[in-house]
Amino acid sequence: MSNNIHFLDDNAINKPEQDLFNFKFYAEKVQKLIQLNSSNPDPITIGIYGKWGEGKTSFLNLIQYKIDHFEKKEGDKEYLIFHFNPWRYSTEDEMMFDFFDGLAKRFYVKKETNTQKIGKQLIKYSRYLKSIKISSSFGIPTKLGTKITFDPSVILETLGEDLKGEEITLEVLKDKVNEDLEKVNFKVVIFIDDLDRLDKEEIYTILKLIKLNANFKNFIFIVNLDSDHVAKAIKNRYGDAIEDGHLFLEKVINIPIHLPKIEDHDLREFFRKKLEQVKVNLSLSNDEKAQEMFKEIDMEFSSDLFSSPREIIRVLNSFFLGAFAIGDEVNLRDLFWIEYLKIKNGECYNFIKSYRPKSGIMDFDRTVDFNDDYNSNEKTNSSRKYLLEKFKNVNVIINNLFPLYSNGPSITGGKPNLDILDKQSRINSLGHYEKYFSFHNIRKTSVLKLNTIENLISENDSTNLISLFKDLFLDETQHYKVLYRIELIIKELTKENERNFFYSFLFENFNIIPDSKIDIYGLNYQLRLIELVASTLEKDDSNDNGDITLSLATNLDVYQLSHFTRKFNDNKSFKESLKKLIASKAQATFNSHNPVYKNPKNAPNKMIMHYWKLVNEIEYTNHIKSTIANEENIKVLIRNFPSFWNNSYFGPLEEEDYKYMEQLVDVDFIYAKENEFNLDLVKSIDPYTYKIPDNDECSLEENLEQFIYWYKIYLNRGNSIDNIIN
């Protein structure tokens, strides 16, 4: 980040060379007309009409710029400039009186006697206005030692003003000011800005000042205002409708000048230059990735999205603050448009901010799209439907930030590449969504830390990788995000040495990676990574990968090795070696107290039995027979062969299941043992009448009955059914 960090300023321009909207051409024409009107003594009020933030002050400054530098002919006057800022005052009276005091001081700047005389007359005029105010309010205070009076002349004398021998009225004083103004070679140009920022009483005071109290000869008022806002503020003084306010404005404003339209290409250029300034302030000019995102923001700009230059500044400043706070952790393009929503439509932004998408390891195939009703036939439903209908003016932004994907042809082109969304830290990626609103990484996975993984891989730095992994896996709620990034790295590593280093690191340090979470396929975190590494090696057509595969396999237990091995095709040169390794690890792992079939929910059990028998049938058969010490073990062994549905329940032992069981275990031995343990049950199963239950879930006892049924069906296949039954 830059050491000179600052926001974009919203200051008006002062010189033509700063003009980005080409206002100067029109402003020069207005200035010229004012100069040509130099010899006309009649008071004039010019209104510069424009909406908030469109550049009225800049236009005013362009009119003023060198307004007194022009070729004069006989009778033309010089210009005396007076800026009056009505925002400085807390009351209408204070505003009115200080106007004349400030204007009088401008005349005292000029050394000519007549000019200073005007200043004195203006002071008298101002004090008389004050006396009228005092008179109408409460008269002379008794603390001055006088009786209460409501005569302005007496009040002025009591206040110390020497007016002897003069007939004092407001009109007399005004005439004296006008007489002196005609004697000097000056026209007075009074600039009043930000009229539309005042409250309605203050607005009325300024208009009354222009129309009644300061309507002097050789005066030119140039006033900035939003005519609709001002008309609305004063309408109740002259009627009921806003049109009544506009009618009064017409009486005050002699020459209405509407701000020139900002052309689209000028507004785009303004946006581009300010966006570039933001990039410089963030010290991102040499960041190639940031350059691309800023270019994308620039290309997506449309003048239809912004109502004024000031709105552009506000959006960019909000974006700057967000980028400064968390720009390294999010996608800058997405951050810009979500900050745009914050400024443009706060209600829409707050709805999106408050939305709580579900997240977890089972949600890797989802993006944030607000379509909460997954069973709905509507393309847009639930929260998304509400968003698009409620906030139509920002639909294009919502659709760009949160595209709606589909399986078939669509505007978005089908399902997204979730790996890319995650790596780019997009706002519609579940792992990054909340960062765009929380602006921190406390209890969240840092993109910077995740990116560090790849740097450490390139450096073969195992020590710091272990430390980083331990740190990343501290918060259980963020585990799935870390896992997802590791999966992405596994698939994307292209340099063989870096790939082999990282795969070896993972297989040697699986104790760091949590294994408690189970996905919809029955895999925990560790097994997901093991299978992904195997699949990636299998798909590598450029290399057999036998050495790295066998090296990795030695670090796995027999169950992990089975998941690893199943991903390789039989045509791989090392597949037989993997089978033998499974058999070897099985022989070292299982015994009579820990049979290979102990946990039927372990999907690799049948695979382990298959390869163990294939490599060393005698040892395998002895293991099975040595463990059948009771009927419970028979039930558990049989339980390994029915289908395990949805990782939650076992189904019936179907014929195909029994036939596979025949290949892996000695069913005659099992049947004989069951006869030994429970002869009554064996006799009770009549293959002629027994029906396998229709229910999907079966108990251990039911699976045992089904085994007995299929054994009797297949016993002495050539015999009659009566012999089979008996």
Side-chain angles (χ1 to χ4, degrees):
M1 297 296 179
S2 169
N3 292 325
N4 187 29
I5 296 169
H6 58 276
F7 293 102
L8 301 179
D9 65 66
D10 191 24
N11 297 328
I13 65 172
N14 293 296
K15 299 178 181 179
E17 55 265 30
Q18 300 170 331
D19 178 26
L20 296 179
F21 301 130
N22 292 313
F23 282 174
K24 58 188 174 187
F25 301 106
Y26 191 35
E28 287 170 358
K29 299 298 182 183
V30 175
Q31 183 190 78
K32 186 67 173 178
L33 287 174
I34 294 173
Q35 291 169 339
L36 291 173
N37 199 54
S38 172
S39 60
N40 179 10
D42 294 334
I44 299 173
T45 302
I46 299 173
I48 308 297
Y49 290 2
K51 295 297 182 183
W52 179 84
E54 287 185 341
K56 295 189 297 296
T57 302
S58 294
F59 190 75
L60 199 72
N61 291 343
L62 290 172
I63 293 175
Q64 180 192 340
Y65 183 70
K66 296 184 178 179
I67 193 172
D68 53 344
H69 295 183
F70 67 103
E71 186 177 345
K72 303 175 182 64
K73 58 182 181 293
E74 187 177 351
D76 287 346
K77 297 179 181 296
E78 299 286 350
Y79 286 99
L80 186 147
I81 308 299
F82 176 52
H83 280 276
F84 181 65
N85 188 346
W87 261 46
R88 297 174 181 172
Y89 309 105
S90 58
T91 67
E92 296 82 43
D93 293 338
E94 186 180 332
M95 183 192 304
M96 176 82 77
F97 302 143
D98 200 68
F99 169 82
F100 289 106
D101 290 344
L103 183 58
K105 291 176 183 177
R106 289 291 293 129
F107 282 96
Y108 274 97
V109 171
K110 300 293 180 179
K111 299 301 181 182
E112 294 89 343
T113 304
N114 287 335
T115 305
Q116 292 185 352
K117 190 174 181 181
I118 295 172
K120 293 179 180 179
Q121 295 289 2
L122 286 172
I123 291 173
K124 287 184 179 181
Y125 187 76
S126 174
R127 291 180 178 177
Y128 193 85
L129 285 173
K130 290 181 183 179
S131 70
I132 293 174
K133 179 66 179 178
I134 294 172
S135 173
S136 61
S137 301
F138 49 79
I140 288 292
T142 54
K143 67 181 180 179
L144 292 179
T146 63
K147 298 179 179 179
I148 295 296
T149 178
F150 294 94
D151 185 342
S153 298
V154 175
I155 292 174
L156 280 170
E157 291 174 6
T158 305
L159 291 174
E161 187 67 56
D162 182 14
L163 299 173
K164 294 180 181 179
E166 300 185 39
E167 181 185 355
I168 301 302
T169 66
L170 197 59
E171 288 303 317
V172 168
L173 289 174
K174 187 173 184 180
D175 288 342
K176 288 182 177 292
V177 173
N178 280 327
E179 287 174 11
D180 290 332
L181 281 170
E182 288 181 347
K183 296 175 183 177
V184 296
N185 194 35
F186 284 98
K187 287 185 74 71
V188 182
V189 183
I190 301 169
F191 291 93
I192 300 179
D193 198 4
D194 294 333
L195 180 62
D196 43 23
R197 295 190 182 189
L198 305 174
D199 66 33
K200 58 184 180 180
E201 292 302 325
E202 292 168 335
I203 290 173
Y204 175 72
T205 298
I206 292 296
L207 293 177
K208 187 170 70 170
L209 174 72
I210 294 170
K211 185 64 178 175
L212 300 176
N213 297 330
N215 192 24
F216 299 115
K217 290 181 179 180
N218 288 310
F219 267 42
I220 300 176
F221 284 92
I222 303 181
V223 187
N224 273 352
L225 69 156
D226 178 337
S227 58
D228 287 336
H229 178 83
V230 172
K232 184 178 179 181
I234 63 174
K235 65 180 177 64
N236 291 334
R237 287 182 174 271
Y238 308 102
D240 299 317
I242 192 171
E243 288 78 9
D244 297 311
H246 279 293
L247 289 174
F248 180 77
L249 267 181
E250 291 178 8
K251 297 178 181 179
V252 176
I253 306 297
N254 306 119
I255 304 174
I257 295 176
H258 292 269
L259 206 64
K261 174 181 171 57
I262 300 174
E263 296 186 10
D264 289 349
H265 62 271
D266 288 331
L267 194 64
R268 170 177 285 281
E269 187 63 19
F270 176 81
F271 175 81
R272 181 171 291 143
K273 288 185 177 181
K274 297 300 182 182
L275 181 66
E276 179 66 23
Q277 189 176 337
V278 169
K279 184 171 64 177
V280 171
N281 290 346
L282 290 169
S283 298
L284 296 175
S285 296
N286 297 321
D287 187 323
E288 187 175 341
K289 182 180 177 182
Q291 287 275 34
E292 288 301 313
M293 284 189 277
F294 271 78
K295 185 185 297 182
E296 192 172 354
I297 294 169
D298 180 40
M299 292 178 65
E300 290 177 334
F301 171 85
S302 170
S303 58
D304 294 336
L305 298 173
F306 296 91
S307 61
S308 69
R310 181 166 289 148
E311 189 171 71
I312 289 177
I313 296 296
R314 293 183 69 222
V315 170
L316 285 173
N317 276 331
S318 185
F319 168 59
F320 172 81
L321 181 58
F324 180 64
I326 200 169
D328 294 326
E329 298 287 344
V330 295
N331 183 281
L332 290 174
R333 175 265 185 185
D334 289 358
L335 179 65
F336 173 83
W337 289 113
I338 201 66
E339 291 300 309
Y340 169 87
L341 285 181
K342 182 191 291 184
I343 300 301
K344 189 71 175 180
N345 194 319
E347 186 180 358
C348 176
Y349 170 83
N350 286 327
F351 181 88
I352 294 173
K353 177 182 177 181
S354 303
Y355 182 74
R356 292 290 179 268
K358 295 180 181 179
S359 60
I361 195 168
M362 295 174 62
D363 292 319
F364 280 172
D365 60 343
R366 284 187 52 223
T367 57
V368 180
D369 59 15
F370 307 102
N371 259 12
D372 306 317
D373 187 357
Y374 305 127
N375 298 318
S376 174
N377 293 324
E378 290 186 276
K379 183 177 180 181
T380 57
N381 59 68
S382 194
S383 296
R384 186 180 189 87
K385 187 174 183 180
Y386 170 82
L387 266 174
L388 295 179
E389 291 179 355
K390 173 75 172 178
F391 309 111
K392 293 181 180 179
N393 67 318
V394 290
N395 271 191
V396 63
I397 307 301
I398 296 170
N399 288 328
N400 282 341
L401 287 175
F402 307 100
L404 188 61
Y405 301 100
S406 65
N407 291 322
S410 69
I411 296 175
T412 56
K415 284 190 174 181
N417 187 322
L418 296 174
D419 292 344
I420 293 177
L421 292 180
D422 179 71
K423 189 150 191 178
Q424 293 180 346
S425 306
R426 304 306 294 260
I427 191 172
N428 64 327
S429 173
L430 280 169
H432 301 285
Y433 178 80
E434 290 185 349
K435 294 179 188 175
Y436 285 82
F437 307 99
S438 63
F439 288 97
H440 66 75
N441 275 308
I442 299 172
R443 298 182 303 279
K444 293 182 176 64
T445 304
S446 167
V447 172
L448 290 178
K449 289 182 180 179
L450 292 175
N451 291 340
T452 304
I453 295 175
E454 294 166 277
N455 296 332
L456 294 176
I457 291 172
S458 66
E459 298 168 1
N460 286 8
D461 189 344
S462 300
T463 302
N464 284 318
L465 265 178
I466 291 173
S467 177
L468 178 62
F469 270 43
K470 288 180 178 179
D471 184 32
L472 287 170
F473 283 114
L474 280 176
D475 184 5
E476 185 177 348
T477 64
Q478 304 298 307
H479 286 176
Y480 79 98
K481 299 177 184 178
V482 182
L483 176 68
Y484 195 32
R485 175 52 69 90
I486 294 173
E487 289 181 341
L488 187 60
I489 294 172
I490 288 173
K491 290 183 284 186
E492 289 192 343
L493 283 173
T494 55
K495 295 181 180 178
E496 186 175 337
N497 63 323
E498 292 184 2
R499 180 199 68 180
N500 292 350
F501 163 76
F502 186 55
Y503 290 3
S504 298
F505 169 81
L506 286 175
F507 280 50
E508 292 168 6
N509 296 281
F510 270 127
N511 60 305
I512 302 175
I513 298 173
D515 62 357
S516 57
K517 292 289 185 178
I518 305 298
D519 68 7
I520 58 175
Y521 307 108
L523 302 178
N524 61 31
Y525 288 150
Q526 295 177 1
L527 293 178
R528 282 178 64 93
L529 297 180
I530 288 169
E531 289 200 357
L532 180 60
V533 167
S535 296
T536 307
L537 290 170
E538 165 63 30
K539 293 174 183 177
D540 182 8
D541 297 328
S542 63
N543 195 327
D544 183 66
N545 292 314
D547 291 341
I548 182 62
T549 300
L550 293 175
S551 174
L552 294 173
T554 59
N555 292 291
L556 303 175
D557 64 36
V558 65
Y559 294 112
Q560 294 171 331
L561 181 58
S562 298
H563 281 277
F564 184 69
T565 301
R566 67 187 286 267
K567 290 296 182 178
F568 293 101
N569 293 325
D570 286 337
N571 60 4
K572 291 292 185 181
S573 63
F574 50 79
K575 185 65 178 279
E576 289 303 315
S577 297
L578 290 175
K579 294 177 182 179
K580 291 177 181 179
L581 189 57
I582 288 176
S584 175
K585 286 180 178 286
Q587 188 172 335
T589 302
F590 304 113
N591 53 51
S592 58
H593 302 292
N594 180 35
V596 64
Y597 55 81
K598 181 179 181 180
N599 184 0
K601 293 181 180 180
N602 280 336
N605 284 358
K606 294 192 287 288
M607 181 180 181
I608 296 171
M609 288 189 278
H610 176 81
Y611 289 140
W612 193 0
K613 182 179 181 181
L614 185 68
V615 174
N616 196 332
E617 185 173 1
I618 294 176
E619 290 183 354
Y620 167 74
T621 301
N622 288 339
H623 169 74
I624 295 296
K625 289 184 176 181
S626 69
T627 61
I628 305 301
N630 50 57
E631 186 181 37
E632 286 305 311
N633 279 13
I634 291 177
K635 291 178 184 179
V636 174
L637 172 62
I638 294 170
R639 190 70 151 177
N640 279 262
F641 293 92
S643 296
F644 185 43
W645 297 105
N646 298 326
N647 294 310
S648 59
Y649 65 88
F650 289 92
L653 184 73
E654 303 286 0
E655 184 175 6
E656 291 300 317
D657 301 328
Y658 176 80
K659 290 167 70 175
Y660 186 49
M661 184 177 176
E662 273 188 317
Q663 297 176 32
L664 296 186
V665 297
D666 184 349
V667 293
D668 294 329
F669 175 80
I670 302 300
Y671 183 78
K673 279 294 189 178
E674 182 59 24
N675 266 293
E676 180 184 329
F677 297 140
N678 195 342
L679 181 61
D680 291 340
L681 175 63
V682 174
K683 287 185 175 181
S684 70
I685 304 300
D686 182 350
Y688 187 78
T689 58
Y690 182 83
K691 299 291 183 183
I692 294 179
D694 293 332
N695 56 304
D696 294 331
E697 185 173 0
C698 290
S699 64
L700 283 163
E701 289 73 18
E702 287 173 322
N703 285 154
L704 175 59
E705 292 172 358
Q706 292 151 14
F707 165 78
I708 296 170
Y709 165 75
W710 288 118
Y711 182 85
K712 287 185 175 182
I713 288 291
Y714 278 87
L715 180 65
N716 298 320
R717 296 177 186 179
N719 293 345
S720 66
I721 189 68
D722 292 336
N723 290 334
I724 294 174
I725 295 172
N726 295 322

